[in-house]
Amino acid sequence: MQEEKANIGNLFNRIAPTYDKLNHLLSAGIDKRWRRKAVKMMRRNENVLDVAIGTADFAVELLQQSKAAHVVGIDLSDEMMRLGREKMEWLNLQDKVAFQHVDATNMPFEDECFDAVTCAFGVRNFVDLDKGLLEMRRVLKQDGELVILEFSYPENPLIRFCYDFYFSKILPLVGKWFSKDDTAYKYLNSSVKHFIWGEEMCNHLRQAGFQNVSYKTLTFGIATIYKSVNGDQ
Ligand SMILES: C[S@@+](CC[C@H](N)C(=O)[O-])C[C@H]1O[C@@H](n2cnc3c(N)ncnc32)[C@H](O)[C@@H]1O
C-alpha cells in the first residue's frame, strides 16, 4: 500500500473523471451530508487551507456556507484539481479559490499563515500521517481550527459486516466497472480498512501538538469528523 501512496497523485489522476459521480453514487449522496456537517461545525474564517482539495467538494461547501472568505487548496493530483477548477467556475466561485500542486507533508507556506485548515478524505492517503499533521499545525495560526473528515470503522458488528462486504466486494467491483481501473478501487478499499480512527487518531493529533481534540462519528461510525485547535481555547 505504501507504493500506491507514493504514487497517489497518479492514482487519483486516473480515476478523476469518474470520481465525483462514483462517490455520490456509491455513498447514495451521504458524503455530501458529511461534508456539510463538518463545515457547519466551523467558525467563519478569512483564509482557509483545504488540504487534499481534490475536485473541491469540501471547498465549495466552505464557500457556500460562508465559513471561508478565501480558500487555498492543495493536492497532488492535477486532474482532480482541474475538475475542481471547472466546478468553481461553474459555480462562479473561481476568484475565491487558489489551487496549488503541493504535498501536504511538505508545504511551501510560511508558519502560522492560515486561519483554519481542513482535510476531507485525504489524511489516510498520506505516506507519513504524522508529518502531514505537523505540517498542518505549522501553517495554522494560534487558535486556528483544524477539521478532518475521514472514513472510520463502525462499532456495531452487523454494520461492520455490511461495511466490510461493501468496501471489499461492491466498491472495487463497481469502481472497476465505472473507472476501468483495476487497482485504484482495491487501494481505496484497503486504505480505508487499514487506517486508524477514533481515539487513536485523536492521539496522533495530540502528539502533533493540537489541543481540544474531539471527534464526532457519522452514520453508524462509517465516517468521523475530528476537530482540534492550535493552542488553548
Ligand atoms: C478521496 S480524495 C478527497 C478529495 C476531497 N477533499 C473530497 O472531499 O472529495 C483524496 C485526495 O487526496 C489527495 N492527496 C493524497 N495524498 C496527498 C498529499 N500528500 N498531499 C496532497 N494531496 C494528497 C489525492 O490526490 C486526492 O485528490
Side-chain angles (χ1 to χ4, degrees):
M1 201 159 65
Q2 286 304 95
E3 205 177 300
E4 271 113 350
K5 285 189 179 184
N7 291 304
I8 202 74
N10 286 337
L11 185 141
F12 276 97
N13 279 341
R14 296 203 307 271
I15 61 170
T18 49
Y19 176 82
D20 272 359
K21 243 185 244 151
L22 209 54
N23 227 4
H24 305 329
L25 175 82
L26 285 166
S27 74
I30 297 175
D31 63 311
K32 288 187 193 173
R33 266 197 278 150
W34 291 341
R35 288 189 192 86
R36 199 162 303 146
K37 211 163 207 169
V39 171
K40 253 196 192 127
M41 290 167 69
M42 294 178 67
R43 303 189 291 252
R44 153 119 193 131
N45 292 285
E46 266 312 295
N47 194 19
V48 176
L49 173 69
D50 188 30
V51 172
I53 187 170
T55 57
D57 278 349
F58 202 85
V60 166
E61 207 50 57
L62 281 167
L63 292 168
Q64 286 186 333
Q65 284 191 38
S66 298
K67 294 298 175 101
H70 187 265
V71 175
V72 173
I74 61 162
D75 204 287
L76 288 173
S77 164
D78 293 325
E79 261 316 286
M80 294 284 277
M81 287 195 287
R82 187 181 65 74
L83 295 167
R85 249 183 233 112
E86 275 180 18
K87 194 178 288 171
M88 287 296 177
E89 275 163 26
W90 171 255
L91 295 168
N92 206 19
L93 292 170
Q94 68 275 15
D95 296 341
K96 296 185 172 177
V97 191
F99 290 85
Q100 293 188 33
H101 185 112
V102 163
D103 185 342
T105 61
N106 185 19
M107 301 191 221
F109 309 120
E110 284 174 15
D111 295 356
E112 300 186 19
C113 62
F114 292 101
D115 300 306
V117 175
T118 58
C119 186
F121 308 111
V123 290
R124 73 170 193 279
N125 299 297
F126 295 175
V127 173
D128 187 337
L129 170 69
D130 294 325
K131 208 170 164 201
L133 296 180
L134 282 172
E135 274 293 83
M136 289 185 193
R137 191 169 78 87
R138 182 185 66 75
V139 300
L140 188 56
K141 285 183 187 166
Q142 280 298 311
D143 292 339
E145 54 187 354
L146 169 74
V147 172
I148 290 175
L149 171 62
E150 193 50 88
F151 283 109
S152 44
Y153 204 46
E155 306 262 0
N156 181 304
L158 183 67
I159 308 279
R160 258 186 193 196
F161 176 80
C162 299
Y163 181 91
D164 284 339
F165 182 77
Y166 178 79
F167 269 99
S168 59
K169 302 280 184 253
I170 314 267
L171 178 88
L173 205 74
V174 180
K176 183 186 166 188
W177 188 77
F178 247 84
S179 67
K180 311 284 175 245
D181 195 303
D182 201 13
T183 50
Y185 280 88
K186 275 191 192 146
Y187 161 75
L188 290 182
N189 165 41
S190 51
S191 69
V192 170
K193 212 167 171 179
H194 293 111
F195 194 61
I196 56 167
W197 48 278
E199 263 313 307
E200 201 180 346
M201 178 68 185
C202 291
N203 285 337
H204 281 260
L205 286 163
R206 289 186 195 106
Q207 257 170 40
F210 286 101
Q211 292 179 5
N212 292 3
V213 180
S214 62
Y215 70 97
K216 181 179 173 46
T217 54
L218 306 166
T219 323
F220 309 113
I222 294 171
T224 299
I225 300 167
Y226 301 90
K227 245 193 109 179
S228 54
V229 291
N230 186 12
D232 277 320
Q233 218 190 37

